[in-house]
Amino acid sequence: KECCGHAGDITGLAMSKNMLWSCSTDGTIRLWDSSANWECKYLIAENTKGSATNPAQVPPAPQSGQPEKGVGHSKAVTALVSFGEFILSSSLDGTVKVWNTANGECTLTTKCGGGVVSMALSKDTKGHDLLILGSEDGTIMIRNVLPIGNTPAMHFLSSIENRRMHCGHVGAVKSIVTGPNNTFYTAGADGKLMVWELTGDFNL
């Protein structure tokens, strides 16, 4: 079966029950139904208002003539990660969005300060779920996924920046993969492969 719909490179895939989520440099996320011959059932674009399963196009704002911002990403969507009943998406618009797979609703948008190229899930030494993000400028960011005590979900915990720490990537972090024993691996546009180990609990 050939599934056509995206107008740019497909950059990520994630499966949730019978729905295959795909993201693209065209800035959209599409949901393909495996139980309906892989039909594209839902589309999430920058101007989608509401949720993926109950979308409505955003009308132009009468004051400025500019459309009200919808729930989708405004630039290329770079990666998808599945986490329980949720899908996480990252984008060059500098945000990470959390989507409820039950209804396609965007439950959280986190601003990361710069374009996000890659991401992967990991855990700290206490077993708390972490999200590791790779940026266009080479920065590696670490955030907690779930709220823990007084720490909200997707809270910034730490970063690795070459210009500040004199280690890490120069240029985009193209790929992140988690390994055993709190390790993770990054590949950069600078041609370097790096191995990292999470040694603390980030006071969570």
Side-chain angles (χ1 to χ4, degrees), residues 6-65:
H6 284 296
D9 295 350
I10 295 176
T11 52
L13 298 171
M15 196 74 188
S16 177
K17 296 181 180 178
N18 64 307
M19 288 291 185
L20 177 65
W21 293 55
S22 64
C23 63
S24 170
T25 57
D26 64 12
T28 68
I29 298 171
R30 288 177 177 266
L31 281 65
W32 311 83
D33 191 347
S34 64
S35 64
N37 197 30
W38 299 103
E39 178 185 352
C40 180
K41 284 293 184 71
Y42 307 109
L43 168 68
I44 303 171
E46 180 183 8
N47 65 339
T48 300
K49 187 178 181 181
S51 68
T53 58
N54 187 26
Q57 295 304 305
V58 180
Q63 295 86 353
S64 63

Side-chain angles (χ1 to χ4, degrees), residues 119-142:
M119 60 179 176
L121 293 169
S122 186
K123 293 181 181 292
D124 67 8
T125 55
K126 290 184 178 179
H128 297 133
D129 293 299
L130 303 177
L131 182 65
I132 304 173
L133 305 169
S135 300
E136 280 186 295
D137 64 1
T139 301
I140 299 169
M141 292 174 287
I142 301 172

Side-chain angles (χ1 to χ4, degrees), residues 82-101:
S82 178
F83 180 76
E85 297 298 313
F86 299 92
I87 295 286
L88 283 63
S89 63
S90 62
S91 172
L92 295 185
D93 65 9
T95 67
V96 171
K97 291 178 179 286
V98 180
W99 306 89
N100 186 334
T101 59

Side-chain angles (χ1 to χ4, degrees), residues 128-190:
H128 297 133
D129 293 299
L130 303 177
L131 182 65
I132 304 173
L133 305 169
S135 300
E136 280 186 295
D137 64 1
T139 301
I140 299 169
M141 292 174 287
I142 301 172
R143 295 176 178 268
N144 59 294
V145 180
L146 298 172
I148 303 170
N150 294 325
T151 305
M154 299 300 290
H155 182 71
F156 172 83
L157 300 175
S158 185
S159 66
I160 303 167
E161 301 176 59
N162 183 280
R163 64 180 180 273
R164 181 169 60 89
M165 304 174 66
H166 305 292
C167 67
H169 293 285
V170 178
V173 183
K174 304 291 284 186
S175 181
I176 304 174
V177 175
T178 54
N181 303 316
N182 304 108
T183 59
F184 67 94
Y185 319 113
T186 58
D190 56 8

Side-chain angles (χ1 to χ4, degrees), residues 178-202:
T178 54
N181 303 316
N182 304 108
T183 59
F184 67 94
Y185 319 113
T186 58
D190 56 8
K192 295 179 180 179
L193 169 65
M194 296 188 176
V195 181
W196 307 89
E197 182 180 1
L198 298 168
T199 58
D201 60 9
F202 303 99

